[in-house]
Coordinates of all heavy atoms in Angstrom, one line a residue:
I86 N 94.8 86.0 108.4 CA 93.8 85.1 107.9 C 92.7 84.9 108.9 O 91.5 84.9 108.6 CB 94.4 83.7 107.5 CG1 95.3 83.9 106.3 CG2 93.3 82.7 107.2 CD1 96.1 82.6 106.0
D87 N 93.1 84.7 110.2 CA 92.1 84.5 111.2 C 92.6 85.2 112.5 O 93.3 84.7 113.4 CB 92.0 83.0 111.6 CG 90.9 82.7 112.5 OD1 90.2 83.6 113.1 OD2 90.7 81.5 112.8
S88 N 92.2 86.5 112.6 CA 92.6 87.3 113.7 C 92.1 87.0 115.1 O 92.6 87.4 116.1 CB 92.3 88.8 113.4 OG 90.9 89.0 113.3
D89 N 91.0 86.2 115.1 CA 90.4 85.7 116.3 C 91.0 84.4 116.9 O 90.7 84.0 118.0 CB 88.9 85.6 116.2 CG 88.2 86.9 115.9 OD1 88.7 87.9 116.4 OD2 87.2 86.8 115.2
N90 N 91.9 83.8 116.2 CA 92.4 82.6 116.6 C 93.5 82.8 117.7 O 94.5 83.4 117.5 CB 93.1 81.8 115.4 CG 93.5 80.4 115.7 OD1 94.3 80.2 116.7 ND2 93.1 79.4 114.9
L91 N 93.2 82.3 118.9 CA 94.0 82.5 120.0 C 95.4 81.8 119.9 O 96.4 82.4 120.4 CB 93.3 82.1 121.3 CG 92.1 82.9 121.7 CD1 91.5 82.3 123.0 CD2 92.4 84.4 121.9
E92 N 95.4 80.7 119.3 CA 96.7 79.9 119.2 C 97.6 80.7 118.3 O 98.8 80.8 118.6 CB 96.4 78.5 118.6 CG 97.7 77.8 118.5 CD 97.5 76.3 118.1 OE1 96.4 75.9 117.8 OE2 98.5 75.6 118.0
Y93 N 97.0 81.3 117.2 CA 97.9 82.0 116.3 C 98.5 83.3 117.0 O 99.7 83.6 116.9 CB 97.2 82.5 115.1 CG 96.6 81.4 114.2 CD1 95.7 81.7 113.2 CD2 97.0 80.1 114.3 CE1 95.2 80.7 112.4 CE2 96.5 79.1 113.5 CZ 95.6 79.4 112.5 OH 95.1 78.5 111.7
R94 N 97.6 84.0 117.8 CA 98.1 85.2 118.5 C 99.2 84.8 119.6 O 100.1 85.5 119.8 CB 96.9 85.8 119.1 CG 96.0 86.4 118.1 CD 94.7 86.9 118.6 NE 94.7 87.8 119.7 CZ 93.7 88.2 120.4 NH1 92.5 87.7 120.1 NH2 93.8 89.0 121.4
N95 N 99.0 83.7 120.3 CA 99.9 83.2 121.3 C 101.3 82.8 120.6 O 102.3 83.2 121.1 CB 99.4 82.0 122.0 CG 100.3 81.7 123.2 OD1 100.7 82.5 124.1 ND2 100.8 80.4 123.1
R96 N 101.2 82.1 119.5 CA 102.4 81.7 118.7 C 103.2 83.0 118.3 O 104.4 83.0 118.4 CB 102.1 80.8 117.6 CG 101.8 79.4 118.0 CD 101.3 78.6 116.7 NE 101.2 77.2 117.0 CZ 101.9 76.2 116.4 NH1 102.8 76.6 115.5 NH2 101.7 75.0 116.8
L97 N 102.5 84.0 117.9 CA 103.1 85.2 117.4 C 103.8 85.9 118.6 O 105.0 86.3 118.5 CB 102.1 86.2 116.9 CG 102.6 87.6 116.5 CD1 103.8 87.5 115.5 CD2 101.5 88.5 116.0
A98 N 103.2 85.9 119.7 CA 103.8 86.5 121.0 C 105.0 85.7 121.4 O 106.1 86.4 121.7 CB 102.8 86.6 122.1
V99 N 105.0 84.4 121.3 CA 106.1 83.6 121.7 C 107.3 83.8 120.7 O 108.4 83.9 121.2 CB 105.7 82.1 121.8 CG1 106.9 81.2 121.9 CG2 104.7 81.9 122.9
A100 N 107.0 83.9 119.5 CA 108.0 84.1 118.4 C 108.7 85.5 118.7 O 110.0 85.5 118.6 CB 107.5 84.1 117.0
V101 N 107.9 86.5 119.0 CA 108.6 87.8 119.3 C 109.4 87.7 120.6 O 110.5 88.3 120.7 CB 107.4 88.8 119.4 CG1 108.0 90.2 119.9 CG2 106.8 89.1 118.0
L102 N 108.9 87.1 121.6 CA 109.6 86.9 122.8 C 110.9 86.1 122.6 O 111.9 86.6 123.1 CB 108.7 86.1 123.8 CG 109.4 85.7 125.2 CD1 109.6 87.0 126.0 CD2 108.5 84.8 126.0
K103 N 110.9 85.1 121.8 CA 112.1 84.3 121.6 C 113.2 85.1 120.8 O 114.3 84.8 120.9 CB 111.8 83.0 120.8 CG 110.9 82.1 121.5 CD 111.7 81.3 122.5 CE 110.8 80.1 123.1 NZ 111.6 79.3 124.0
Q104 N 112.8 86.2 120.2 CA 113.7 87.0 119.5 C 114.3 88.1 120.5 O 115.1 89.0 120.0 CB 113.1 87.7 118.3 CG 112.7 86.7 117.2 CD 112.0 87.4 116.1 OE1 112.6 88.2 115.3 NE2 110.8 87.1 115.9
G105 N 113.8 88.1 121.7 CA 114.3 89.1 122.7 C 113.7 90.5 122.6 O 114.1 91.4 123.2

Side-chain angles (χ1 to χ4, degrees):
I86 294 171
D87 184 357
S88 62
D89 295 328
N90 188 305
L91 294 178
E92 183 175 2
Y93 297 166
R94 292 168 53 191
N95 185 59
R96 283 175 173 242
L97 174 59
V99 168
V101 170
L102 176 67
K103 294 284 189 176
Q104 294 176 68

